[in-house]
Amino acid sequence: MRRTPARRRRLFAAALLVASVLAPMATTPATAVPAALPTALSATFDHGGTEDCPPDGFGPELTARLDKAIEDVREQAGIPGLVAGLWFPGKGSYVRASGVADKVTGKPMTTDGFVRIGSETKTFTVTALLKLVDDGRIQLDDPISKYIAGVPRGPEITLRQLAEMRSGLFPYTDDADFQHDLLSDPSRFFTPHEVLAYGYKHNNTFDPGAQFQYSNTNLVLLGLVVEKVSGQRLVDFIDKRVLRPAHLRRTLFPTGPEFPEPHPRGYTNQTLSGEVTDSTDWNPSWAWAAGAMISDLEDLRRWAKIVATGTLLSPETQAERLKTLPTGFPGTGYGLGIMETGGWIGHNGSIPGYETVTVYLPSQKATMVLMLNTDITSQGQEPSSLVARAITEILTPDNVYDRPVPPREAGPSRAIDIGFAAR
């Protein structure tokens, strides 16, 4: 079955979403992963960074309900394997892996694997940008033209609007030539300027600040701003100023298809033919600052609270980050590289073969992390959103993640996986 235009849009908008490959700074095809990372990949899980959660789960009855709800969604949506981690201080925790990590061998999914986190990369890139704000080196209302030349309407578009997804710049992942070039050769290296060129062929979709439109073009530009102002590669700046201070020892920004073990195989139907394929080793350089990073369950658990509460930022800058604006999807707002849905704060990620959700609920100091080894939609909805919704309907009925839109409110394309449906 051939991919429809809508499906192509979903693929790349969200796929990048919330992940990013550290593409080369200029036109260099590849660079090395920071030296400190490989030695840390085998480190044992660090359970610090969140309030204490009783280790004995939520009790047999509630645990059984969660087991059934998650397994029902997994089977109905055709998800090969998934990992769910839930931590509610003072109440309990729940960490489970179900399904398979490899459909060929039948190897079971495990809780200790790495996954590509897609658009969750955006939370790291914007945190890096906000570190420069705190350093006094940039201001959120600076025009992008102050740092990067050649951006359509650059003097009118601010860094804030880029981070809010309100720039009006055309999403390069919606360009038909980009989609064809990527899917024709998923191993290809793309530089940031190469992917931006696909978007620049199109007129801006609206005036700066006029509305919300999820666009990976915005994040690639912000990644270039971080490099320009800091004088460092984005991968190095994020490593030194974000990952290390956050004690994220199993999170990395690859420069190509490298993928530490262990990891599940990833499956997608974002192909030229629409057939399902193994996309585990596809090169994510096209997503760069928008969606190329890799992490694991424990690091994402720690990051959920850090990004939602602003541990790495000044209170004033975090307050700016959390000023969410309407997205057009009821119950969901978007701030500076961060979303709020049903009271949960964080981001989701989607990239061919993988989906993740990393969110924090301030009212209960609760954390939810999901990792899936597919991005194939089910009845037009992102599989990670289906799982998150099923879980929160049980655990936090007053705070349901991505609550379904009533029929009268639904638009022509409801794929809000705010991975954003980063696709």
Side-chain angles (χ1 to χ4, degrees):
M1 178 178 70
R2 301 195 66 82
R3 178 185 311 286
T4 64
R7 169 59 177 165
R8 288 180 186 273
R9 285 195 296 272
R10 165 197 176 277
L11 161 58
F12 296 104
L16 296 197
L17 183 86
V18 201
S20 89
V21 161
L22 208 174
M25 250 185 82
T27 56
T28 308
T31 49
V33 175
L37 289 177
T39 57
L41 295 182
S42 61
T44 56
F45 286 159
D46 179 352
H47 294 273
T50 57
E51 294 87 349
D52 182 56
C53 296
D56 54 352
F58 293 112
E61 182 178 350
L62 186 53
T63 297
R65 288 180 63 196
L66 287 169
D67 286 344
K68 183 179 188 304
I70 291 172
E71 192 60 16
D72 285 349
V73 173
R74 192 184 70 78
E75 292 182 355
Q76 293 165 12
I79 301 168
L82 70 84
V83 174
L86 310 166
W87 296 271
F88 282 65
K91 296 182 180 179
S93 59
Y94 175 101
V95 177
R96 292 283 193 281
S98 62
V100 298
D102 188 324
K103 295 199 296 184
V104 174
T105 66
K107 180 181 178 180
M109 197 77 165
T110 61
T111 61
D112 64 347
F114 295 89
V115 294
R116 301 192 186 279
I117 63 172
S119 283
E120 288 197 36
T121 300
K122 293 177 173 64
T123 61
F124 292 93
T125 298
V126 173
T127 298
L129 183 84
L130 296 178
K131 295 290 285 185
L132 292 174
V133 171
D134 277 344
D135 291 345
R137 304 184 68 181
I138 63 172
Q139 296 184 28
L140 286 171
D141 294 317
D142 287 342
I144 183 62
S145 60
K146 181 176 180 179
Y147 307 100
I148 309 297
V151 180
R153 301 185 68 174
E156 305 170 60
I157 296 171
T158 66
L159 304 184
R160 183 190 300 275
Q161 290 165 342
L162 292 166
E164 292 173 338
M165 302 293 180
R166 305 180 78 85
S167 72
L169 290 169
F170 186 86
Y172 69 85
T173 49
D174 280 6
D175 178 75
D177 291 334
F178 168 77
Q179 294 169 7
H180 178 271
D181 292 347
L182 174 60
L183 296 179
S184 297
D185 182 11
S187 65
R188 172 179 169 176
F189 278 93
F190 288 87
T191 69
H193 291 288
E194 284 175 341
V195 297
L196 288 173
Y198 289 102
Y200 290 173
K201 296 188 304 179
H202 303 266
N203 293 329
N204 291 23
T205 55
F206 51 81
D207 291 334
Q211 63 187 69
F212 174 90
Q213 180 185 34
Y214 197 89
S215 174
N216 291 294
T217 300
N218 297 332
L219 267 291
V220 171
L221 284 169
L222 292 181
L224 291 174
V225 170
V226 172
E227 291 193 332
K228 178 72 175 292
V229 175
S230 71
Q232 302 175 44
R233 297 183 312 156
L234 179 62
V235 64
D236 293 329
F237 189 86
I238 286 179
D239 177 48
K240 295 174 184 176
R241 298 296 304 279
V242 181
L243 300 183
R244 293 186 188 182
H247 304 291
L248 302 183
R249 302 180 178 90
R250 292 168 61 90
T251 300
L252 64 152
F253 200 151
T255 59
E258 58 266 27
F259 203 163
E261 295 283 357
H263 60 255
R265 308 302 297 180
Y267 302 94
T268 188
N269 63 353
Q270 295 196 68
T271 58
L272 289 176
S273 66
E275 298 298 316
V276 176
T277 192
D278 184 326
S279 57
T280 307
D281 299 315
W282 285 14
N283 187 340
S285 61
W286 57 274
W288 195 47
M293 290 179 71
I294 292 169
S295 191
D296 77 343
L297 181 66
E298 286 297 322
D299 267 15
L300 293 179
R301 171 192 176 183
R302 176 187 288 275
W303 183 240
K305 181 181 178 182
I306 289 173
V307 74
T309 62
T311 303
L312 299 183
L313 303 173
S314 69
E316 296 78 14
T317 298
Q318 179 68 4
E320 292 296 310
R321 177 173 217 167
L322 294 179
K323 290 180 180 177
T324 59
L325 295 172
T327 62
F329 300 107
T332 298
Y334 203 87
L336 301 179
I338 198 169
M339 71 171 184
E340 186 276 327
T341 178
W344 291 90
I345 297 173
H347 217 292
N348 64 344
S350 181
I351 195 163
Y354 299 91
E355 286 201 347
T356 55
V357 172
T358 298
V359 288
Y360 183 80
L361 184 62
S363 63
Q364 299 192 37
K365 298 182 179 180
T367 299
M368 174 170 64
V369 176
L370 304 177
M371 307 189 310
L372 288 66
N373 62 341
T374 187
D375 68 313
I376 299 173
T377 57
S378 176
Q379 298 182 343
Q381 298 190 63
E382 302 301 321
S384 59
S385 292
L386 294 173
V387 178
R389 188 182 306 141
I391 289 171
T392 54
E393 284 176 342
I394 293 172
L395 288 180
T396 56
D398 293 330
N399 298 100
V400 177
Y401 178 99
D402 188 20
R403 185 183 298 277
V405 177
R408 66 181 180 278
E409 299 179 20
S413 77
R414 160 65 182 166
I416 180 176
D417 72 323
I418 280 185
F420 227 111
R423 309 157 188 247

